[in-house]
């Protein structure tokens, strides 16, 4: 069911623009708003680093990481998302995609990574009590974990439901997500052996929309 849900979502989500506001063909965006917020510098990626994206979707952020000289590895449950990523970024060097559940992927790997990230991706939609130990196991000492997602609705914390709409004649598909306030995310990460944890809500850009973006950063 979950794979079907994310394939359905992939059909609704448009492909990334050919270029951003300054004419770049690859770029990194943590937020739900175009040309807004920090970029890949949050990861501290250097040339030759191994970087894993959990829930890579159509691969726009991961492709940018590859252009920085890193070995960019992505995993996503949706085959439709991965096919779109392969079509768009086929000529990108050091760009490696895998289909599967993020937790299963981490559990069965033997290699390690210098950084892992998730942009409205698998960290949001996987129980942190299960996922964070697996991430910690596969991060090298001093490695970075960073992820972004929407901030929680006040009073709605822990496991919540997200609905992915289909046609008018079909019920929506349901996936679980995990929502916490920034201080709670920091505490959860520390409890699983991470340090240097920061968690903040980036405000939305000027305009009618007001929901910011939760951005979390921690070190193994």
């Amino acid at each position: 069911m979950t794979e079907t849900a994310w394939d359905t979502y992939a059909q609704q989500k448009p492909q990334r623009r050919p270029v951003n506001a300054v004419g770049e063909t690859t770029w990194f965006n943590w937020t739900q708003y175009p040309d807004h917020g920090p970029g890949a510098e949050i990861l501290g990626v250097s040339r030759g680093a191994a970087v894993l994206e959990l829930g890579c979707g159509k691969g726009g952020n991961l492709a940018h990481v590859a252009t920085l000289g890193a070995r960019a590895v992505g995993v996503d449950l949706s085959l439709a998302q991965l096919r779109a990523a392969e079509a768009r970024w086929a000529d990108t060097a050091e760009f490696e995609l895998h289909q599967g559940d993020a937790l299963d992927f981490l559990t069965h790997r033997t290699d390690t990574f210098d950084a892992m990230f998730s942009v409205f991706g698998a960290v949001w939609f996987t129980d942190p009590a299960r996922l964070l130990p697996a991430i910690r196991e596969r991060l090298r000492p001093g490695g970075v974990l960073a992820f972004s997602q929407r901030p929680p609705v006040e009073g709605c914390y822990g496991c919540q439901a997200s609905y992915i709409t289909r046609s008018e004649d079909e019920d929506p598909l349901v996936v679980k997500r995990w929502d916490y306030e920034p201080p709670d995310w920091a505490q959860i990460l520390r409890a699983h052996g991470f340090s240097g944890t920061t968690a903040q809500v980036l405000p939305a850009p000027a305009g009618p929309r007001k929901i910011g973006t939760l951005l979390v950063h921690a070190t193994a």
Side-chain angles (χ1 to χ4, degrees), residues 2 15 37-38 44-46 85 108 121 155:
T2 306
Q15 184 62 275
V45 172
S46 58
H108 292 96

Side-chain angles (χ1 to χ4, degrees), residues 99-122:
Q99 184 189 14
D101 173 82
L103 182 58
D104 288 343
F105 180 83
L106 288 166
T107 301
H108 292 96
R109 298 288 289 200
T110 57
D111 52 342
T112 55
F113 296 88
D114 298 289
M116 295 188 199
F117 70 96
S118 170
V119 178
F120 290 67

Side-chain angles (χ1 to χ4, degrees), residues 99-172:
Q99 184 189 14
D101 173 82
L103 182 58
D104 288 343
F105 180 83
L106 288 166
T107 301
H108 292 96
R109 298 288 289 200
T110 57
D111 52 342
T112 55
F113 296 88
D114 298 289
M116 295 188 199
F117 70 96
S118 170
V119 178
F120 290 67
V123 174
W124 197 9
F125 297 100
T126 310
D127 183 352
R130 301 178 64 205
L131 183 63
L132 291 178
I135 290 174
R136 187 74 176 76
E137 183 70 19
R138 301 265 65 86
L139 266 179
R140 295 169 185 167
V144 168
L145 168 64
F147 58 92
S148 63
Q149 58 196 58
R150 286 189 180 88
V153 175
E154 185 177 357
C156 298
Y157 308 122
C159 185
Q160 305 291 317
S162 286
Y163 294 90
I164 298 174
T165 58
R166 295 192 283 180
S167 71
E168 293 182 358
D169 298 325
E170 296 176 292
D171 289 331

Side-chain angles (χ1 to χ4, degrees), residues 10 16 40 51 67 88 111 148 150 200 203:
R16 179 171 282 204
V51 181
T67 67
R88 175 73 178 267
D111 52 342
S148 63
R150 286 189 180 88
Q200 60 181 316

